[in-house]
Amino acid sequence: MSANDRPMGQQPKTPATHESAFLKACRREPVPHTPVWFMRQAGRSLPEYLKVREGIPMLDSCMMPELVAEITMQPVRRHKVDAAIYFSDIVVPLKAIGIDLDIKPGIGPVVAEPIRTRADLARLRDLTPEDVAYVTEAIGLLTAELGATPLIGFAGAPFTLASYLVEGGPSRNHEHTKALMYGDPELWADLLDRLAEITGAFLKVQIEAGASAVQLFDSWVGALAPADYRRSVLPASAKVFDAVAGYGVPRIHFGVGTGELLGLLGEAGADVVGVDWRVPMDEAARRVGPGKALQGNLDPAVLFAPTRAVEEKAREVLDAAAGLEGHVFNLGHGVLPSTSPDALTRLVEYVHTSTER
């Protein structure tokens, strides 16, 4: 099924969005130019973002529809990227179902009471559309303004959500997470299954509100070996992708440090596999196999180099991706906070002009 051709009238087909370069690349169709968007394109690298977020805590900002719409639009207006990504945080659905957590500046998500026992699972109730009504409202505002520019929905993958919940916050080595995964595999499987249901419901809300594609971020899954991923994570990620398969929108999967997992990320159900900067795109295509588009993968730190060096490195990415069935240009991770916005704008223009067909 083609993206935006949705069954049962769940989201009406939008011809202009359907024919965008971004969605065409995701569907592995010919494109007028290589489409570009950036992970974390809406955020601290933009002075206009810092201005509108001033004094507003992160989670509060994610629940203010007009602010979300403004922040999501900022990089589209400034950089002329080919897609917007919904401004949110991976812990928003957990907050929405009542988990006591906060995002601490300079630290990240912090959970007041970590989940480490079977009794703790009861705290992970189902997510309903009413829990995140602000998401539906914000996406309505966005699709009205975006017009032909697609909006990408956003969610954290079960493994990464579980890591935050079990550790109680960010972790370098994931000691508690791996102890639970290896020590009580049944509880681990049940935890990830519950998180898959919550994540699938969160993505459904975004698609039904008007998102044209979705990306599942598994920020920490690169900490796992392939055998552990296949046994202990892939079933839950696949459940998320299966939950939204009927909508026909492209499903993107991205993780950091996942060079050894690229084939498995595609196997989980992604239509587009995101590649970090450590693996060249042609090698990534070999690992993923046919039938998938790829996204990536300029090192975010390259943007601090002079313009000529940025363009040379971007050219390397484009050349390595030249033979792919479908390619969406992106960074190999998120935009770093101190990145010059002008460097991003110039990069978009370079990719567009150098790949015009």
Side-chain angles (χ1 to χ4, degrees):
M1 181 185 298
S2 295
N4 287 13
D5 291 324
R6 296 165 179 83
M8 300 179 290
Q10 289 164 313
Q11 184 189 353
K13 181 177 176 181
T14 307
T17 305
H18 185 267
E19 294 302 310
S20 66
F22 169 73
L23 289 179
K24 280 178 170 287
C26 291
R27 298 193 302 262
R28 296 174 287 119
E29 297 173 359
V31 292
H33 60 263
T34 298
V36 188
W37 73 277
F38 303 118
M39 289 177 281
R40 293 186 189 152
Q41 64 187 15
R44 290 174 290 173
S45 65
L46 298 179
E48 55 265 44
Y49 167 84
L50 297 174
K51 182 177 179 180
V52 299
R53 269 284 321 279
E54 188 174 3
I56 304 174
M58 177 62 184
L59 283 175
D60 288 352
S61 70
C62 294
M63 300 174 190
M64 302 168 67
E66 291 186 357
L67 182 59
V68 168
E70 169 60 22
I71 292 171
T72 302
M73 287 300 306
Q74 287 175 349
V76 179
R77 299 186 195 119
R78 180 187 274 262
H79 304 314
K80 311 302 183 201
V81 286
D82 293 277
I85 182 156
Y86 183 76
F87 175 75
S88 186
D89 188 90
I90 62 172
V91 298
V92 163
L94 300 180
K95 183 73 171 181
I97 63 169
I99 298 298
D100 186 0
L101 57 83
D102 196 9
I103 298 177
K104 303 291 186 181
I107 299 174
V110 176
V111 180
E113 299 179 52
I115 289 181
R116 296 176 183 171
T117 70
R118 182 159 295 278
D120 291 332
L121 290 182
R123 291 153 53 196
L124 297 174
R125 66 167 177 84
D126 291 341
L127 177 83
T128 69
E130 292 71 29
D131 292 322
V132 287
Y134 47 85
V135 172
T136 298
E137 183 179 348
I139 291 179
L141 295 172
L142 277 164
T143 53
E145 185 170 354
L146 282 165
T149 302
L151 175 66
I152 305 169
F154 166 94
F159 175 82
T160 292
L161 293 179
S163 178
Y164 280 118
L165 288 171
V166 174
E167 300 290 341
S171 172
R172 182 180 298 273
N173 298 308
H174 310 282
E175 300 96 324
H176 295 292
T177 304
K178 291 186 176 183
L180 179 61
M181 184 176 71
Y182 298 134
D184 194 340
E186 289 186 4
L187 175 57
W188 173 260
D190 290 344
L191 170 60
L192 260 65
D193 189 70
R194 291 292 297 120
L195 292 171
E197 291 176 0
I198 292 164
T199 301
F202 189 53
L203 290 179
K204 285 181 179 180
V205 168
Q206 294 175 67
I207 296 169
E208 293 185 6
S212 296
V214 290
Q215 176 155 311
L216 193 65
F217 285 81
D218 216 345
S219 307
W220 303 122
V221 79
L224 297 182
D228 290 331
Y229 179 90
R230 178 180 291 281
R231 176 178 56 251
S232 302
V233 176
L234 191 151
S237 295
K239 183 171 183 174
V240 175
F241 285 125
D242 287 346
V244 298
Y247 293 96
V249 303
R251 298 160 296 172
I252 310 168
H253 202 4
F254 174 76
V256 185
T258 52
E260 298 301 321
L261 305 178
L262 287 172
L264 292 168
L265 295 181
E267 191 176 323
D271 304 299
V272 184
V273 176
V275 184
D276 75 14
W277 68 93
R278 297 169 177 86
V279 180
M281 296 301 287
D282 48 358
E283 171 60 18
R286 188 191 68 78
R287 297 183 188 187
V288 172
K292 308 285 183 184
L294 296 186
Q295 178 177 283
N297 70 336
L298 185 70
D299 184 344
V302 167
L303 287 161
F304 293 84
T307 299
R308 187 173 72 173
V310 174
E311 292 180 354
E312 288 174 354
K313 296 300 290 185
R315 185 74 256 166
E316 290 178 11
V317 172
L318 293 168
D319 288 346
L324 302 186
E325 297 178 71
H327 177 223
V328 176
F329 189 95
N330 208 313
L331 303 181
H333 195 198
V335 174
L336 298 172
S338 55
T339 302
S340 166
D342 291 342
L344 290 166
T345 302
R346 289 192 297 267
L347 178 57
V348 174
E349 183 178 8
Y350 174 77
V351 174
H352 283 170
T353 57
S354 65
T355 61
E356 282 180 343
R357 294 164 174 84

